[in-house]
Amino acid sequence: MARVTGSAGEKQQPVSFIERLAGSEGFCVLFREGMSLVEDAASYLDGDGRLEAKELARNEALGYAAESMRLTTRLMQIASWLLLQRAVNQGELTRHQAASNRHRVKLREQGLASAPDIFQRLPERLRELALHSLRLQARIIHLDRLIHAPETASAEPAPAPSPVEAQIAKLRAAFSQ
């Protein structure tokens, strides 16, 4: 936060850079990207994805089902968060109301549902959608943490990241290239 001084040297309220970011053109781009991804995924899963899933072997079909469910859940969280932030930006809710337990969207990092070898054998479009949603999810979780940092600063410290999860993430990254 930066302090802004008024005309006669009087101090005004601090300017929150994160709140400015959340109401900026950058947020509008993020909103459009998220909603477009939701539409693209729905269109794929209801159309070509169904046809492609029918052609898969048993293990891949199970992987497809798990991955599509995880993708849908992840995108529902993303869309809910984006819509809530837009409501704040448009003055329909205050930042305080949006942060309340009644309204706040609890974002959880969700990795891929499939083992890397199964994931690589899934239809290319499903893989693209899943990976795009993971990148978008990471950006939104980062932004959400920045927005709510003052509220969570006094809370318990976050648990240390699991070394196993870090290794799994590295493996997934290696197989996704």
Side-chain angles (χ1 to χ4, degrees):
M1 291 218 202
R3 284 235 178 252
V4 177
T5 56
S7 56
E10 63 198 46
K11 287 191 176 184
Q12 294 180 348
Q13 294 293 356
V15 175
S16 168
F17 292 115
I18 193 61
E19 286 191 28
R20 293 227 179 204
L21 174 65
S24 71
E25 179 61 29
F27 175 79
C28 293
V29 170
L30 182 69
F31 184 87
R32 286 190 299 270
E33 178 184 353
M35 291 309 184
S36 176
L37 184 57
V38 168
E39 289 177 24
D40 291 348
S43 176
Y44 170 76
L45 293 172
D46 284 339
D48 292 342
R50 284 184 192 226
L51 300 173
E52 291 175 349
K54 289 179 182 178
E55 298 174 6
L56 296 173
R58 179 172 163 67
N59 284 343
E60 287 77 13
L62 291 172
Y64 180 95
E67 211 58 64
S68 64
M69 286 176 28
R70 180 78 55 96
L71 172 65
T72 302
T73 301
R74 187 180 308 117
L75 290 175
M76 286 175 53
Q77 283 186 350
I78 287 170
S80 296
W81 188 90
L82 289 168
L83 290 167
L84 182 65
Q85 297 310 311
R86 185 177 72 172
V88 170
N89 295 342
Q90 293 178 346
E92 297 169 14
L93 288 173
T94 66
R95 179 92 27 223
H96 180 71
Q97 288 171 321
S100 72
N101 283 338
R102 179 172 181 225
H103 294 289
R104 184 157 183 203
V105 176
K106 308 251 187 319
L107 298 168
R108 297 180 231 274
E109 282 190 51
Q110 298 178 354
L112 297 173
S114 307
D117 61 320
I118 299 287
F119 184 78
Q120 288 304 314
R121 293 193 304 263
L122 296 178
E124 181 180 359
R125 184 66 181 138
L126 178 65
R127 292 193 325 259
E128 289 171 356
L129 290 166
L131 294 174
H132 187 172
S133 72
L134 286 172
R135 289 188 301 271
L136 185 60
Q137 171 191 258
R139 289 169 36 212
I140 287 175
I141 287 174
H142 178 72
L143 189 55
D144 186 68
R145 287 180 181 153
L146 290 174
I147 289 170
H148 297 291
E151 298 167 23
T152 57
S154 62
E156 304 176 19
S162 165
V164 174
E165 288 179 12
Q167 291 299 319
I168 291 172
K170 287 180 182 177
L171 286 170
R172 285 191 177 132
F175 281 100
S176 68
Q177 294 177 353

